[in-house]
Amino acid sequence: YTYPVILLKEKASKKEKQEIAEILSKSVRGLKEISRIHELLYKYKIKNEIITNLNDLSIKLINFLKEFSESEIRNLMISKIEEL
């Protein structure tokens, strides 16, 4: 599973979890199934949670990198993370 689907399965009701499992077990999914997954992702605000998690991780990574002595590569990595 992808990270969004893992988060969705953690938040979904028991009935929705069964529905998700059924949809994902199909080898071919139609527009109806894809739309249903999108509805659930929206309902549980999975995109917002992922953005928050990524922002938190980027701050932690920058703080970790700042523990190393200053160098061109360290500064470049910090700069690129801050651009995200």
Side-chain angles (χ1 to χ4, degrees), residues 63-79:
N63 289 335
F64 173 74
L65 290 169
K66 287 181 177 180
E67 293 177 13
F68 294 94
S69 24
E70 199 164 321
S71 71
E72 187 177 325
I73 297 217
R74 172 195 167 256
N75 294 339
L76 178 62
M77 290 175 70
I78 290 171
S79 172

Side-chain angles (χ1 to χ4, degrees), residues 34-49:
I34 293 168
S35 293
R36 180 60 180 146
I37 295 294
H38 284 156
E39 287 174 20
L40 292 170
L41 290 169
Y42 181 79
K43 174 182 177 180
Y44 289 103
K45 300 178 182 172
I46 300 300
K47 180 180 178 180
N48 294 342
E49 185 169 344

Side-chain angles (χ1 to χ4, degrees), residues 2-64:
T2 63
Y3 186 52
V5 173
I6 292 168
L7 290 178
L8 178 59
K9 289 179 75 177
E10 289 175 359
K11 293 181 173 268
S13 69
K14 186 176 181 178
K15 181 181 176 185
E16 290 167 336
K17 286 178 187 178
Q18 291 171 340
E19 184 180 5
I20 294 165
E22 184 179 309
I23 290 170
L24 296 177
S25 69
K26 295 181 178 182
S27 60
V28 177
R29 295 171 200 104
L31 185 57
K32 180 181 174 185
E33 290 89 1
I34 293 168
S35 293
R36 180 60 180 146
I37 295 294
H38 284 156
E39 287 174 20
L40 292 170
L41 290 169
Y42 181 79
K43 174 182 177 180
Y44 289 103
K45 300 178 182 172
I46 300 300
K47 180 180 178 180
N48 294 342
E49 185 169 344
I50 289 172
I51 290 170
T52 299
N53 289 346
L54 290 174
N55 285 332
D56 291 345
L57 287 172
S58 68
I59 290 167
K60 289 177 183 177
L61 181 54
I62 288 170
N63 289 335
F64 173 74

